[in-house]
Amino acid sequence: MKLRSKAAALLLLALAALLLALLSLRAGRAEPPAPLARPASAPQRHPARVPARWPGPGALPRAGPGARRRRPLRPRPRAERRGAVRLEKLARRPGEPRSFQAVLPPELWIHLAVVACGSRLEETLVMLKSAVLFSHRKIQFHIFTEDSLKPEFDKQLRQWPDSYTKKFEHRIYSITFSVGNPHEWKKLFKPCAAQRLFLPVILKDVDSLLYVDTDVLFLRPVDDIWKLLRLFNSTQLAAMAPEHEIPKIGWYSRFARHPFYGSAGVNSGVMLMNLTRIRSTQFKNSMIPTGLAWEDMLYPLYQKYKNAITWGDQDLLNIIFYFNPECLYVFPCQWNYRPDHCMYGSNCREAEHEGVSILHGNRGVYHDDKQPTFKALYEAIRDFPFQDNLFQSMYYPLQLKFLETVHTLCGRIPQVFLKQIEKTMKRAYEKHVIIHVGPNQIH
């Protein structure tokens, strides 16, 4: 009896232990208590809803410990934005230390030479100003002048605003003639003009060069005429424009007493030169049956023709290229537009279609009233304040001045003078506003 009561007690204890174990197991698997309710004013969060746009890292629900983290997708820039980024890399905003021009290696610079003596200081500075106003690439100025003018050239150029002085460097040279009698060369035509004949000899480290007279004005970037060097064939080493478009009324065809290039001669006021080729070429001539190097040819050529030439060094260049026509590339008159192209009626078709690219105010027309159209352009560039708006301070006043010249032969075709400079100013304005200010800031 006692054994049965003990067995029953043990059975009850085992059942109780089993029941307690089941209760504890169910308690361990039970759901955790619900979180406290949010205040009514707080927005409800929906973790299961994926945001339509990437709002930032703090807005995404945190993944569980076993979940695989996915890298958020970055929005792909639009095509126009990608283009704007590339433009910003090529053209930085003003004031930034590294500019596109600053990183150009020296061999990609434009080399511009001028010879200025006597009273040509202001005229030369206006020419250099016109070159800097519209240029894109850096320019190396080679200024040949009398010793008395050197300090003033240096002083004036250093006073220009930084936004323009960073676009060029300048070197100032004394007037020197490597062969012959210096006094004869200096008096050959205008003071010091014959210096241009010796540029290949003096500038030994320069490969190519653009020479211009002091009375030249650039109405479009210098870069554009510099590109004509690419059009030279294997024998061409210099480029000039014709002296006249109509041989019947040209000076050389009527009055020259010496050989000259082509049917009307060429004008040397704007001259592109591949100096490397000039230095390495043996030129045919009328003095000896064999060729002569450039430096060895100059003085004997002058001695032979000095009593027949009128326009000095330009006549000597015409003689050289008469005997070596394959060495010359002839560019259109729009790159050397002179009063002769309009004072007898318009005879430069390229300028009528494209506009004047380079204005050459020979005959002193910038400083008298014989050709007021030329004078108006000169004064507009001379008086333009560097930091002002090109349209407001140059182009619009120029249009008003041109209205006063319509009674003159050159003034009857104002579009010839204004077409190219208007294009140039538009490009300069668009480049400044769209690239430096930014298209998103234009309203």
Side-chain angles (χ1 to χ4, degrees), residues 42-43 53 120 122 154 201 213 394 401 423:
R53 298 184 63 184
R120 299 297 181 117
E122 180 197 271
D154 188 64
V201 181
D213 285 347
M394 184 187 294
K401 284 187 177 182
K423 288 181 182 179

Side-chain angles (χ1 to χ4, degrees), residues 9-146:
L10 289 173
L11 182 60
L12 288 172
L13 287 173
L15 289 172
L18 181 61
L19 181 62
L20 287 174
L22 290 172
L23 289 174
S24 63
L25 181 61
R26 175 175 290 186
R29 292 180 178 177
E31 294 290 332
L36 293 176
R38 290 176 177 269
S41 59
Q44 296 294 322
R45 179 177 293 183
H46 304 281
R49 183 177 298 173
V50 179
R53 298 184 63 184
W54 164 243
L60 285 180
R62 296 176 65 102
R68 183 179 177 184
R69 288 192 173 185
R70 298 186 63 183
R71 193 171 183 176
L73 293 175
R74 302 179 67 178
R76 187 172 182 177
R78 297 171 64 181
E80 58 268 22
R81 176 58 188 159
R82 294 197 299 270
V85 171
R86 285 196 293 267
L87 285 175
E88 286 179 355
K89 290 180 180 178
L90 289 176
R92 295 171 181 260
R93 289 176 170 79
E96 291 186 348
R98 286 177 59 84
S99 68
F100 179 65
Q101 292 164 336
V103 300
L104 279 175
E107 60 267 20
L108 294 181
W109 290 15
I110 293 171
H111 290 264
L112 177 65
V114 63
V115 179
C117 291
S119 59
R120 299 297 181 117
L121 175 67
E122 180 197 271
E123 196 174 78
T124 306
L125 288 170
V126 176
M127 180 276 292
L128 297 175
K129 182 180 182 181
S130 72
V132 169
L133 278 177
F134 307 122
S135 66
H136 304 309
R137 290 164 62 176
K138 289 195 72 169
I139 307 176
Q140 177 73 61
F141 293 145
H142 301 274
I143 303 169
F144 292 81
T145 188
E146 297 165 308

Side-chain angles (χ1 to χ4, degrees), residues 263-278:
S263 59
V266 286
N267 184 280
S268 60
V270 179
M271 182 166 53
L272 271 173
M273 293 182 283
N274 186 318
L275 301 184
T276 301
R277 289 187 179 183
I278 291 176

